[in-house]
Amino acid sequence: SAVISQKPSRDICQRGTSLTIQCQVDSQVTMMFWYRQQPGQSLTLIATANQGSEATYESGFVIDKFPISRPNLTFSTLTVSNMSPEDSSIYLCSVEEDRYQPQHFGDGTRLSIL
Amino acid sequence: SQQGEEDPQALSIQEGENATMNCSYKTSINNLQWYRQNSGRGLVHLILIRSNEREKHSGRLRVTLDTSKKSSSLLITASRAADTASYFCATDRQGAQKLVFGQGTRLTINP
């Protein structure tokens, strides 16, 4: 399966700032996804990162708050903008190599906002 | 909204015992997947079971799927301390290219 590198692994940020999280895959993949996991909770899909076009956002998530880029089939970024303490979560990148394979996840980015 | 509901929310057993976790869902699916997460790290894929399959094995793991009841179970046999983790089911719904995760079961194996 694909090897996924996610950076940074953790960060502590000030309120009102923005942070960009990177997700790099060692092979070309069809689909890339971004999830949020709030403390003690399950995973919630933020958006599907589409190569060459705007990401597809889930209900409750907007591009202004979570801009996503996917310039090619092996790389994507998620920016968490204008952060507040409520954004403190683990953010995870996942990839799907083809429609009949499971999704595989990066190690996640643990984000704390002061 | 989360489609999957898992029970129990937390399970604590002795090493060597078997652990069973259940997952229910609401809509038709293409497949159901089970994942493990250690201490808030990334998820590790365990097993994918397709909608036309009823049972699947991988080592000490056994997954069943009952599409008529919209439910699945994950059995871990001969548990070990290293199995301590949170376990999530995720459904790949028909007509939607995305996973919906259950709330998870926090499993603790006591030595």
Side-chain angles (χ1 to χ4, degrees):
Chain A
S1 62
V3 175
I4 304 159
S5 300
Q6 194 172 329
K7 295 179 183 179
S9 59
R10 60 176 61 228
D11 207 339
I12 300 173
C13 299
Q14 295 296 320
R15 186 193 300 253
T17 63
S18 299
L19 178 75
T20 296
I21 302 168
Q22 298 181 359
C23 181
Q24 177 76 55
V25 193
D26 69 343
S27 60
Q28 294 186 346
V29 294
T30 307
M31 307 289 284
M32 296 182 78
F33 304 89
W34 288 99
Y35 290 84
R36 181 178 72 183
Q37 186 178 28
Q38 295 177 300
Q41 302 296 313
S42 183
L43 280 75
T44 300
L45 181 64
I46 297 172
T48 302
N50 300 311
Q51 193 265 330
S53 64
E54 193 170 287
T56 304
Y57 289 85
E58 297 300 305
S59 175
F61 298 96
V62 295
I63 188 171
D64 289 347
K65 177 66 175 177
F66 297 102
I68 287 171
S69 78
R70 188 174 175 195
N72 55 52
L73 293 176
T74 63
F75 185 77
S76 178
T77 66
L78 167 74
T79 298
V80 186
S81 303
N82 188 25
M83 290 183 285
S84 66
E86 292 72 34
D87 294 321
S88 296
S89 296
I90 299 173
Y91 292 86
L92 298 114
C93 164
S94 76
V95 305
E96 189 177 273
E97 294 177 74
D98 67 59
R99 192 67 187 93
Y100 304 101
Q101 298 300 316
Q103 285 187 26
H104 294 281
F105 285 78
D107 282 343
T109 296
R110 185 182 292 272
L111 185 57
S112 299
I113 290 79
L114 303 178
Chain B
S1 62
Q2 294 294 329
Q3 174 174 227
E5 295 293 332
E6 295 182 61
D7 74 271
Q9 291 188 343
L11 178 62
S12 181
I13 61 174
Q14 295 300 120
E15 195 167 18
E17 294 180 339
N18 296 340
T20 299
M21 290 159 272
N22 302 297
C23 169
S24 61
Y25 57 93
K26 296 176 182 173
T27 63
S28 297
I29 61 172
N30 294 316
N31 63 63
L32 185 145
Q33 303 177 36
W34 285 91
Y35 289 85
R36 183 185 75 226
Q37 184 179 40
N38 291 87
S39 300
R41 292 183 58 82
L43 273 69
V44 174
H45 181 262
L46 297 176
I47 288 184
L48 181 153
I49 186 166
R50 304 192 191 284
S51 60
N52 61 351
E53 298 176 312
R54 292 296 167 258
E55 188 170 310
K56 212 161 181 181
H57 297 254
S58 176
R60 295 183 295 113
L61 306 181
R62 172 178 168 250
V63 167
T64 61
L65 179 65
D66 186 335
T67 53
S68 66
K69 295 181 179 178
K70 292 186 169 59
S71 67
S72 175
S73 68
L74 170 66
L75 168 68
I76 303 175
T77 61
S79 63
R80 305 168 182 169
D83 295 328
T84 294
S86 292
Y87 291 81
F88 294 92
C89 69
T91 51
D92 181 347
R93 293 179 295 170
Q94 289 184 1
Q97 272 192 288
K98 56 186 179 182
L99 293 181
V100 177
F101 280 79
Q103 294 305 306
T105 294
R106 188 171 184 84
L107 175 65
T108 302
I109 309 299
N110 301 304

